[in-house]
Amino acid sequence: MSDTSLSEREWALWRSFALMSRQLWNRVEQRLQAQAGISAADFEILHALSTAPDRRARVGALGEMLVWEKSRISHQVSRMERRGMVARVECAEDLRGTWVALTDEGERLLEPALEVFAAAIREAYLDRLSPDIAPQFAATMMRVVMATDPTA
């Protein structure tokens, strides 16, 4: 085996991680759609805006927060804007820039979605981690995050 190939064990570790990630997001997506009437992408943007100062962020900053491409943010924001969940607001300080702001409707939709999200994550993920392994697992995940993007 060369240095560029993965061992069977390494492939198994990668596949289990990738499968877990996809299945967890699929579960969250299904629950949010069925019980809160929004997509996981809607939820991510609504939640990010709800925690941002003044409940707004620039498109670029929103992309950095969510690790999304600018075009994906732009398309998603357009869909959400049509539903009244967010609004684009001209930036008074910099006429070239625009803010994405959480609307009252977006906040109204986010409130029950937070409960749905928490229940789905707790049921499918958090409750599966024993208290003795959870800190080590979190530390390992953060080492991977820092290795892939130290600015995260």
Side-chain angles (χ1 to χ4, degrees):
M1 175 171 29
S2 71
D3 289 340
T4 59
S5 63
L6 299 175
S7 69
E8 266 186 57
R9 182 181 156 277
E10 290 168 330
W11 273 114
L13 187 59
W14 170 252
R15 283 191 305 267
S16 64
F17 166 77
L19 185 59
M20 177 197 71
S21 297
R22 282 192 288 272
Q23 285 184 333
L24 185 56
W25 270 112
N26 286 343
R27 169 73 57 93
V28 168
E29 178 78 42
Q30 290 167 354
R31 296 273 296 266
L32 284 170
Q33 287 282 358
Q35 297 175 17
I38 66 172
S39 69
D42 293 337
F43 176 82
E44 286 190 82
I45 289 178
L46 292 175
H47 184 259
L49 292 173
S50 76
T51 61
D54 298 324
R55 300 178 347 159
R56 65 183 189 170
R58 287 185 180 245
V59 171
L62 201 50
E64 288 176 17
M65 283 190 275
L66 301 175
V67 193
W68 288 12
E69 295 294 323
K70 188 175 179 180
S71 62
R72 181 178 180 199
I73 289 282
S74 184
H75 290 300
Q76 185 63 36
V77 164
S78 293
R79 285 190 290 272
M80 294 172 73
E81 195 173 25
R82 285 192 292 273
R83 291 182 59 199
M85 302 162 88
V86 299
R88 291 181 203 255
V89 180
E90 293 299 319
C91 179
E93 304 87 37
D94 176 3
L95 297 177
R96 296 172 293 142
T98 346
W99 295 92
V100 178
L102 180 65
T103 63
D104 290 342
E105 174 65 4
E107 194 164 8
R108 185 189 70 74
L109 290 167
L110 178 61
E111 199 170 313
L114 284 166
E115 291 179 31
V116 172
F117 180 84
I121 293 299
R122 192 167 284 115
E123 175 188 300
Y125 175 62
L126 298 173
D127 289 350
R128 306 292 174 234
L129 296 175
S130 62
D132 57 316
I133 194 78
Q136 180 183 353
F137 192 61
T140 300
M141 288 186 289
M142 285 311 298
R143 279 196 305 275
V144 172
V145 167
M146 297 308 288
T148 56
D149 183 1
T151 64

